[in-house]
Amino acid sequence: MKSNEPRTPEPGEETPTSIGALAERFGLATQVLRHRESVGLLAPARDAAGRRRYGAADRTRVAVILRAKEAGLSLDAIRALTAATADAARCRDLLRAEAEALRTRIAAAQASLDILECALTCDHEDVTGCARFRQVAAPRAAPQG
């Protein structure tokens, strides 16, 4: 059977869903799923009328793509990591680089949160006059070498 031909689900197996139902499930616009298909991240089966039919593996793949996007990965990086022919060593190198970039973004976000929390607890009318606030902000204010 070709992958675009409809198949009968096995007993206990979920019936494939439409693009609209899958988009709704993940809070996405249908265009997002179509775009991810056009760049090679999704390859849904088609029914006899040519409509996309998404199964459990497709739902898992969408979840992986969304999580990877939340981590800051580009669609190109996600495609490289999820390709059936992906080179394991290249994937590890890419993951290491992405993990380091994410650590950098997390550190920057934490520093920003520290400044906000310091300002929220400050009694000074102008927080820049607060010695504690200046101390928290100092690393950002330091000259770049």
Side-chain angles (χ1 to χ4, degrees), residues 21-129:
L22 186 70
E24 184 177 341
R25 178 181 184 141
F26 286 99
L28 301 170
T30 56
Q31 308 82 288
V32 171
L33 295 174
R34 287 187 190 97
H35 174 69
R36 299 214 171 128
E37 181 181 351
S38 76
V39 298
L41 287 172
L42 295 172
R46 303 284 179 140
D47 66 14
R51 293 179 298 245
R52 293 166 178 86
R53 304 306 290 170
Y54 295 90
D58 297 308
R59 288 189 296 278
T60 299
R61 192 166 181 92
V62 170
V64 167
I65 293 166
L66 289 174
R67 181 63 67 183
K69 288 294 295 170
E70 289 168 0
L73 276 70
S74 69
L75 292 181
D76 287 337
I78 297 167
R79 185 176 39 254
L81 292 169
T82 59
T85 59
D87 173 41
R90 182 171 173 255
C91 285
R92 277 191 300 279
D93 290 344
L94 179 59
L95 286 171
R96 279 187 197 100
E98 292 292 344
E100 185 54 36
L102 181 56
R103 282 186 206 97
T104 300
R105 290 192 307 275
I106 289 169
Q110 184 61 56
S112 296
L113 180 59
D114 292 346
I115 288 173
L116 292 175
E117 288 177 341
C118 181
L120 285 170
T121 61
C122 183
D123 292 333
H124 286 78
E125 189 141 327
D126 177 2
V127 293
T128 61

Side-chain angles (χ1 to χ4, degrees), residues 1-17 43-59:
M1 179 182 310
K2 295 179 184 174
S3 65
N4 64 348
E5 291 181 5
R7 70 178 184 79
T8 305
E10 298 294 324
E13 183 181 3
E14 287 185 48
T15 303
T17 59
R46 303 284 179 140
D47 66 14
R51 293 179 298 245
R52 293 166 178 86
R53 304 306 290 170
Y54 295 90
D58 297 308
R59 288 189 296 278

